[in-house]
Amino acid sequence: AQSVTQPDIHITVSEGASLELRCNYSYGATPYLFWYVQSPGQGLQLLLKYFSGDTLVQGIKGFEAEFKRSQSSFNLRKPSVHWSDAAEYFCAVAYGQNFVFGPGTRLSVLP
Amino acid sequence: ETGVTQSPTHLIKTRGQQVTLRCSSQSGHNTVSWYQQALGQGPQFIFQYYREEENGRGNFPPRFSGLQFPNYSSELNVNALELDDSALYLCASSLSAGGRTEAFFGQGTRLTVV
């Protein structure tokens, strides 16, 4: 069955530090992959997506993600975290008519 | 600004009651999907509507039903509410059916069943 795992439930980083959020997926074909961010009480905002081509994709707010087929991973990175990046981050894979989401990683940012 | 709007933003219902949630899709989008997000979890797919027809359904019982109107807005109806139905309900619209397309989410409706 298709699934998405995000091994880290909660990550805390200091403002200005680099960030990497992990995502692994299980999918039989070429995946379409997404990262969404959710602020408290809000809906989901698309950060970036991978459909094909260059395996390093750039998104909004300075985020990037790298697709590694051999590792079934699509990790999200940011070189310097800002306090406003504190939120819940969800990795998702497109499957059929819908997305399969991971459980999310909550990011806290220390001043 | 995604252009997807949901109403109401918050709702409190009693177990056994029925509820209707509403979603206006982004202009030009003919596909609406509904997701349930329980506290501390990722969203779970409920169903999708494409051109007024159900176009796929997740692992939810029949008491979860929906509609899509000619203007592509949509409703989610839940009958015989249970305590476990308490969740954030998210609506997403997209240009076409199928998951392999970008979806835009609304801010959600927070449903509390007491």
Side-chain angles (χ1 to χ4, degrees):
Chain A
Q2 287 63 31
S3 65
V4 176
T5 57
Q6 295 179 247
D8 305 304
I9 296 173
H10 183 204
I11 285 181
T12 300
V13 300
S14 297
E15 191 169 17
S18 64
L19 171 71
E20 183 170 28
L21 302 183
R22 296 181 291 164
C23 170
N24 293 96
Y25 66 90
S26 171
Y27 188 70
T30 300
Y32 282 19
L33 296 160
F34 304 80
W35 274 99
Y36 282 88
V37 61
Q38 185 178 39
S39 298
Q42 299 297 311
L44 301 176
Q45 181 183 21
L46 180 67
L47 286 175
L48 47 78
K49 60 185 182 287
Y50 171 77
F51 285 178
S52 64
D54 193 346
T55 56
L56 184 64
V57 293
Q58 302 297 320
I60 62 171
K61 304 184 179 184
F63 285 93
E64 66 177 26
E66 186 172 13
F67 169 59
K68 293 185 177 180
R69 184 186 301 275
S70 62
Q71 299 178 19
S72 297
S73 69
F74 188 55
N75 293 349
L76 181 71
R77 300 194 293 249
K78 186 170 184 177
S80 178
V81 170
H82 188 263
W83 64 266
S84 61
D85 293 326
E88 189 91 20
Y89 291 80
F90 294 95
C91 180
V93 62
Y95 173 63
Q97 294 86 6
N98 62 286
F99 298 117
V100 175
F101 285 89
T105 295
R106 183 160 63 93
L107 174 65
S108 297
V109 180
L110 298 175
Chain B
E1 186 66 42
T2 66
V4 180
T5 58
Q6 293 185 241
S7 63
T9 54
H10 295 83
L11 202 53
I12 300 176
K13 288 287 189 178
T14 302
R15 189 171 50 182
Q17 286 188 316
Q18 178 266 344
V19 69
T20 297
L21 310 182
R22 295 177 175 83
C23 171
S24 294
S25 60
Q26 186 158 315
S27 177
H29 287 189
N30 58 18
T31 303
V32 172
S33 303
W34 287 91
Y35 290 81
Q36 180 195 65
Q37 186 180 16
L39 199 61
Q41 298 183 23
Q44 301 288 320
F45 175 67
I46 302 175
F47 45 57
Q48 181 184 85
Y49 277 83
Y50 170 64
R51 294 186 175 179
E52 303 179 58
E53 298 287 333
E54 187 176 294
N55 185 48
R57 188 178 185 91
N59 189 27
F60 281 80
R63 59 189 185 84
F64 285 78
S65 63
L67 282 173
Q68 187 179 33
F69 300 99
N71 66 356
Y72 301 132
S73 66
S74 178
E75 287 182 353
L76 164 66
N77 299 288
V78 187
N79 294 321
L81 283 166
E82 301 176 359
L83 296 179
D84 285 348
D85 295 333
S86 295
L88 181 68
Y89 288 85
L90 295 165
C91 166
S93 76
S94 52
L95 275 172
S96 62
R100 293 179 170 241
T101 184
E102 187 171 338
F104 296 85
F105 284 81
Q107 83 285 2
T109 294
R110 172 72 63 186
L111 172 65
T112 302
V113 182
V114 297

